[in-house]
């Protein structure tokens, strides 16, 4: 089972990704992130994943990251993922 980080998890595309990951037989949501001021921080995204804002901690829990957030968040993710050798899928506009 591949654990996936979704960055921008509370947005429309992020929510779609979470649903697709949960429906998949070989993927599992390992972490979900939003910006530090997001009103949904700390809420349950799936059974055992809370919406967080700590990119380094989230990267330590997964095998791949999918990002549909903002350019600033993407830059922070790239730095954290590079330090860990974490593969990224970027959909930031």
């Amino acid at each position: 089972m591949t654990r996936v980080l979704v960055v921008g998890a509370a947005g429309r595309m992020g929510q779609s990704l979470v649903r697709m990951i949960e429906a998949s037989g070989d993927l599992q949501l390992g972490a979900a992130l939003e910006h530090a001021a997001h009103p949904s921080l700390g809420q349950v995204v799936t059974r055992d994943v809370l919406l967080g804002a700590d990119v380094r901690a989230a990267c330590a829990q997964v095998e791949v990251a999918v990002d549909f957030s903002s350019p600033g968040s993407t830059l922070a993710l790239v730095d954290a993922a590079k330090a860990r050798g974490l593969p990224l899928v970027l959909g930031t506009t």
Side-chain angles (χ1 to χ4, degrees), residues 19 27 36 67:
R19 285 191 300 273
L27 300 174
D67 181 4

Side-chain angles (χ1 to χ4, degrees), residues 55-56 59 67 70-82:
V55 68
R56 292 205 180 273
C59 284
D67 181 4
S70 67
S73 292
T74 298
L75 293 174
L77 173 65
V78 167
D79 289 341
K82 183 178 178 184

Side-chain angles (χ1 to χ4, degrees), residues 15-88:
Q15 290 175 16
S16 291
L17 288 166
V18 168
R19 285 191 300 273
M20 287 186 277
I21 289 166
E22 288 298 299
S24 169
D26 55 352
L27 300 174
Q28 177 183 9
L29 187 67
L33 293 179
E34 271 297 341
H35 61 87
H38 197 281
S40 297
L41 283 185
Q43 292 184 2
V44 174
V45 177
T46 62
R47 292 177 293 276
D48 55 351
V49 176
L50 302 179
L51 188 63
D54 187 339
V55 68
R56 292 205 180 273
C59 284
Q61 300 174 36
V62 299
E63 287 82 44
V64 65
V66 181
D67 181 4
F68 276 88
S69 63
S70 67
S73 292
T74 298
L75 293 174
L77 173 65
V78 167
D79 289 341
K82 183 178 178 184
R84 223 186 134 241
L86 188 68
L88 300 176

